[in-house]
Amino acid sequence: MKPLKPLDEALTDLLAKAVPLQGADTVTTFDADGRVLAQNCVSALQVPPQDNSSMDGYAVRCADVAEAGVVLPVSQRIAAGSSGDPLLPGTAARIFTGAPVPEGADAILMQEDCEPLANAVGGEGLGQVRINAVAKLGQWIRNAGEDITRGAVVLSAGTRLTPAELGLAASIGLHQLQVARRPRVALFSTGDELVMPGDVPPEQMRPGAIYNSNRFFLRAMLLRLGCEVTDFGIVPDRRDATIDALRQASSAHDLILTSGGVSVGEEDHIKPAVETLGSLDLWQIAMKPGKPFAYGQIPRDGGGAAHFMGLPGNPVSSFLTFALLVRPFVLRLQGVMDVAPQSIAARADFIWPKADKRREFLRVRHNAAGGLDLFNNQSSGVLTSAAWGDGVVDNAAGQTIAPGDTVRFISFAGLLS
């Protein structure tokens, strides 16, 4: 019997086939959240454009404030968005956060260290200020270009955009961005036992029927990754129906994603159907849950081929194989290079006494003591474990776990973003 392929090796093989898609879209920076940059963003200016104050206070020359208690006349008032005159020796400028530092000033005193005074004679002008602290060279001044220098690559092609990156792009004046085109994904489920919620009320479900939960979380996960999803619904457990669905889906999609029908039973038609139309290069992974996973390609009539991925029917298996294999693949299609799931060290507050020969992904969540608790039922059919948990422990094959052991934790927040 051929040994199961290790997960890391399977992921490497998959990513080698995930050639980034051709074509790009131009979108406004407002609408680019979650998209992947198709070209570098280069700054045409420096940020900030000039030295500016990081505090409300007074701009001074350090030489004029060598000791606390100095009183200086206020020569000007500088607000954000305006520009001041050169600062005359022996004077201070009232300045506000974000305002450009006037020529000649080399420090800012925040207003908490200053005491405004009226003019000694006549009551005209901007008054005086008593400086109750010693000025230090450069204090509370944000230097021109300290955030971004002119000509710098601010964001690189292949960056998946988050709100922080959108703000960064806007800060250098970019109102439109070139992003990778959305992957076109065909999604369908197989199984005569599947029923869509809303079609049949619970009290009228026939014996052996189950609601199709996979279709809902798979579609949501694809949309979060920026895909255009065509939902082909539920395909009957017949080989001819499966072949027809695959042929139709391959014509206009980059990826065909199915759930169910990838085991080796008599009613599991995905494997022979894919092999009838194209090739199947990957079959069964050494992971638990999630062993029945398939990858192949289905040629198109006009040239090229659609990628095919078949996920297990059990919901937790489908959920985790998507997170650990499909998600990196879809991101790589959009040009993202760093796609491997990230783990951190955490403390197990549970026992896992029986080692498995496959690499396991145990549903856990953080507790108030800073450790991880284990969901009491780790069956691949118990989707409650994924809703209850906030991540998984990536447990090596042959590994038991005792309370207090350090384990590798992978957050659902990272896998579902």
Side-chain angles (χ1 to χ4, degrees):
M1 184 176 179
K2 187 176 180 179
L4 302 179
K5 179 162 286 193
L7 176 61
D8 289 340
E9 185 179 334
L11 181 57
T12 298
D13 291 347
L14 284 173
L15 294 180
K17 298 179 182 299
V19 178
L21 301 172
Q22 296 297 309
D25 298 329
T26 300
V27 299
T28 70
T29 305
F30 274 125
D31 297 324
D33 186 34
R35 302 297 293 270
V36 177
L37 277 177
Q39 64 181 30
N40 293 343
C41 293
V42 179
S43 179
L45 74 165
Q46 58 184 11
V47 180
Q50 62 275 315
D51 294 352
N52 69 87
S53 177
S54 63
M55 289 286 177
D56 291 343
Y58 292 85
V60 299
R61 295 172 179 263
C62 287
D64 294 333
V65 191
E67 60 183 17
V70 171
V71 175
L72 298 174
V74 179
S75 60
Q76 56 186 308
R77 183 179 185 277
I78 311 173
S82 65
S83 60
D85 298 322
L87 185 68
L88 298 174
T91 70
R94 180 71 166 117
I95 197 166
F96 297 90
T97 302
V101 177
E103 180 183 344
D106 53 17
I108 305 294
L109 276 301
M110 58 183 180
Q111 61 189 19
E112 289 83 354
D113 291 330
C114 302
E115 180 184 352
L117 304 172
N119 281 334
V121 178
E124 297 180 356
L126 297 175
Q128 299 174 310
V129 62
R130 178 177 288 113
I131 309 296
N132 296 321
V134 177
K136 296 180 181 179
L137 186 67
Q139 72 181 28
W140 305 122
I141 293 177
R142 293 186 292 219
N143 295 316
E146 73 173 32
D147 187 8
I148 300 169
T149 58
R150 184 180 290 107
V153 176
V154 176
L155 296 167
S156 300
T159 298
R160 192 165 178 227
L161 297 166
T162 69
E165 279 87 11
L166 298 183
L168 191 56
S171 77
I172 60 172
L174 298 179
H175 73 289
Q176 290 185 327
L177 298 171
Q178 290 289 309
V179 295
R181 76 165 176 85
R182 297 182 184 274
R184 296 186 290 264
V185 182
L187 174 66
F188 64 83
S189 305
T190 65
D192 290 340
E193 75 279 13
L194 298 176
V195 174
M196 283 299 292
D199 289 351
V200 180
E203 64 274 12
Q204 296 179 17
M205 289 281 278
R206 68 182 186 275
I210 58 173
Y211 286 121
N212 186 356
S213 60
N214 295 12
R215 187 169 167 187
F216 288 82
F217 64 71
L218 292 175
R219 180 178 181 276
M221 294 163 89
L222 287 167
L223 292 175
R224 288 190 177 194
L225 294 173
C227 298
E228 294 180 0
V229 181
T230 305
D231 193 335
F232 279 70
I234 300 170
V235 176
D237 274 334
R238 300 195 321 270
R239 186 165 303 180
D240 61 336
T242 305
I243 290 173
D244 287 344
L246 290 170
R247 181 183 289 113
Q248 182 182 354
S250 67
S251 64
H253 296 88
D254 305 300
L255 170 65
I256 303 167
L257 184 67
T258 68
S259 67
V262 292
S263 293
V264 292
E266 293 179 3
E267 298 302 320
D268 294 316
H269 300 296
I270 289 291
K271 184 175 188 289
V274 173
E275 290 176 328
T276 296
L277 297 172
S279 62
L280 198 64
D281 304 319
L282 183 61
W283 186 258
Q284 299 192 332
I285 308 297
M287 62 180 286
K288 183 180 180 180
K291 181 178 76 170
F293 174 87
Y295 171 82
Q297 293 185 339
I298 299 176
R300 302 188 185 98
D301 291 338
H307 300 284
F308 165 80
M309 288 184 166
L311 306 184
N314 280 327
V316 180
S317 299
S318 188
F319 181 84
L320 287 175
T321 49
F322 184 101
L324 298 171
L325 292 165
V326 180
R327 179 181 184 273
F329 187 87
V330 169
L331 290 175
R332 182 61 59 83
L333 288 180
Q334 298 175 78
V336 181
M337 297 307 297
D338 185 10
V339 296
Q342 301 298 310
S343 65
I344 61 172
R347 186 189 73 240
D349 286 349
F350 62 87
I351 185 171
W352 189 250
K354 186 177 179 180
D356 195 274
K357 62 182 179 181
R358 287 180 281 161
R359 184 172 170 183
E360 298 177 284
F361 292 89
L362 309 173
R363 277 74 72 205
V364 296
R365 75 177 177 190
H366 286 96
N367 57 40
L372 297 173
D373 292 332
L374 183 74
F375 192 74
N376 60 2
N377 188 339
Q378 293 290 316
S379 168
S380 62
V382 180
L383 194 55
T384 307
S385 64
W388 172 90
D390 53 22
V392 292
V393 166
D394 180 358
N395 193 42
Q399 182 68 51
T400 60
I401 300 173
D405 285 352
T406 298
V407 295
R408 291 188 298 173
F409 172 77
I410 302 175
S411 169
F412 283 153
L415 293 176
L416 301 179
S417 64

